[in-house]
Amino acid sequence: MKVTKDFWNWELLPPELFVIGNVNPNWYLSEFLLTFPQALRDFLGKSIVVNDWADGGGLINRGARMPDCAIGGKLSMHKFLKAVDVNVKGLTQPDVLGVVLKNRDKFQMVTAYEDLSFTHGWNHFDGRNTGIRELLMVRP
């Protein structure tokens, strides 16, 4: 199901949510998941990849994660529906980070990003409550 102009729910959610009886996967879409990837896509005019598992790809846990997911930390912002890992077609990790840093007014929902030396080919952005305007750089 399409949940924003350019994103389907499966691009933001893990496959487990689609096979649990009496569960609507869309219940687990947060404001952050619905706004940031679309805002980045709109601003750049480029394809943004979060998850691609429904298209036969191997990207599964880069948006929301189940509470018992072994990937990432126990208190990962992904498990609180406040984080995405993204790839932007045609842009490098530093390029994508630079866009978000230079355009804070367009991406106010982003409060933190992962140190690029810990990500391997993607950018992690999240919306944790930091209480500061500057983006917080985090390390796993």
Side-chain angles (χ1 to χ4, degrees), residues 25-127:
N26 293 344
W27 294 341
Y28 300 93
L29 288 166
S30 68
E31 185 74 19
F32 183 84
L33 291 173
L34 290 169
T35 59
F36 174 64
Q38 187 62 56
L40 189 61
R41 167 74 173 84
D42 289 344
F43 186 80
L44 294 171
K46 295 182 176 289
S47 175
I48 308 289
V49 176
V50 180
N51 291 327
D52 64 359
W53 61 266
D55 278 339
L59 302 176
I60 296 173
N61 289 296
R62 294 171 23 125
R65 291 183 186 154
M66 300 297 283
D68 60 351
C69 180
I71 296 170
K74 183 177 181 177
L75 297 176
S76 167
M77 287 293 115
H78 291 275
K79 294 178 182 180
F80 292 92
L81 314 177
K82 290 184 170 191
V84 292
D85 298 333
V86 299
N87 291 90
V88 178
K89 186 174 181 139
L91 294 181
T92 66
Q93 290 173 273
D95 291 341
V96 175
L97 178 58
V99 165
V100 173
L101 289 172
K102 290 175 189 161
N103 297 281
R104 294 292 300 125
D105 59 320
K106 305 268 191 279
F107 305 109
Q108 293 179 25
M109 71 289 283
V110 175
T111 58
Y113 67 96
E114 193 167 331
D115 181 339
L116 297 183
S117 65
F118 291 93
T119 58
H120 305 285
W122 71 88
N123 288 83
H124 168 97
F125 295 103
D126 69 55

